[in-house]
Amino acid sequence: MALRAIVPTLLGRDWWNTWDYPERIMDQCFATQLFDEDLLSPTLYRGFLIHPRTQTSIANSGQSEVKNNEKQFQVSLNVKQFKPEEIQVKIVDNFIVIQGKHEEKKDESGFCSREFTRRYMLPQACEADTVISSLSPEGVLTILAPKKVLEEPPKQERQVTINVDESKPKDGK
């Protein structure tokens, strides 16, 4: 909790552009059953711990993905364990808050209840009013926040008159 308060303070209001934020966050499988591969040790790859069962598709993995470029801010995460009515996306202050919750129900391993909350700070160039979300048939929730187009001010041109000083120099020449 304290880190969330310190990072914007240290790096400024729009810290997305200055912080090397991870594009993918692993292990977002919200209480799915364990497989033998889950018990294997993860390996280190390019500074990230990679799980042996890591897959490339968000729909088939427990990853969330964050993309921030000059046109938009995008978050994608797998929420296939939840029905659409069990998911909420809202803007609180300048944060996107995603919540999912379902009561206890029977699955192949017994009974399970799930609940999660994810919170992402909107970059300064995004307006909260423009945030949209969609849920794919595969269970991938995508939240998009387009960035404002910064218009350049119109060029203003003005001729500056050069005043010629015709007085004699002080040394008399």
Side-chain angles (χ1 to χ4, degrees):
M1 185 67 174
L3 182 60
R4 282 189 270 184
I6 292 172
V7 170
T9 303
L10 293 176
L11 300 177
R13 179 72 184 100
D14 193 20
W15 53 273
W16 281 107
N17 296 328
T18 58
W19 189 30
D20 190 17
Y21 190 79
E23 251 184 46
R24 291 184 183 227
I25 301 172
M26 308 297 188
D27 297 327
Q28 299 294 300
C29 292
F30 303 109
T32 56
Q33 81 180 59
L34 287 174
F35 296 97
D36 290 338
E37 298 87 28
D38 293 324
L39 303 174
L40 297 174
S41 297
T43 57
L44 191 62
Y45 176 72
R46 292 190 179 183
F48 291 99
L49 286 176
I50 304 297
H51 200 277
R53 197 166 48 98
T54 299
Q55 300 168 5
T56 56
S57 168
I58 296 294
N60 296 323
S61 71
Q63 300 175 354
S64 65
E65 184 174 71
V66 177
K67 294 181 181 176
N68 184 30
N69 59 39
E70 62 278 346
K71 293 184 180 181
Q72 67 184 10
F73 174 73
Q74 176 182 327
V75 175
S76 300
L77 61 150
N78 181 335
V79 293
K80 67 182 175 186
Q81 301 90 352
F82 298 89
K83 295 177 185 171
E85 60 270 13
E86 297 172 334
I87 303 168
Q88 272 190 342
V89 177
K90 52 187 172 177
I91 307 298
V92 178
D93 296 324
N94 201 40
F95 290 88
I96 299 171
V97 179
I98 306 158
Q99 297 174 313
K101 180 179 182 177
H102 69 70
E103 300 303 320
E104 188 173 277
K105 55 181 159 182
K106 187 166 177 49
D107 66 8
E108 62 274 358
S109 302
F111 290 90
C112 182
S113 65
R114 295 180 175 99
E115 182 175 357
F116 78 94
T117 301
R118 299 288 295 154
R119 201 169 88 134
Y120 302 90
M121 179 187 272
L122 278 171
Q124 193 172 15
C126 294
E127 292 182 15
D129 300 351
T130 62
V131 174
I132 58 172
S133 67
S134 62
L135 183 62
S136 76
E138 295 82 27
V140 176
L141 178 67
T142 302
I143 296 106
L144 290 172
K147 293 190 177 175
K148 296 180 246 180
V149 178
L150 298 176
E151 295 179 15
E152 289 187 30
K155 278 191 172 180
Q156 295 181 350
E157 188 173 314
R158 176 176 77 91
Q159 188 71 32
V160 177
T161 306
I162 300 172
N163 294 319
V164 178
D165 186 8
E166 295 187 18
S167 63
K168 291 186 178 182
K170 291 186 180 189
D171 62 355
K173 295 183 183 178

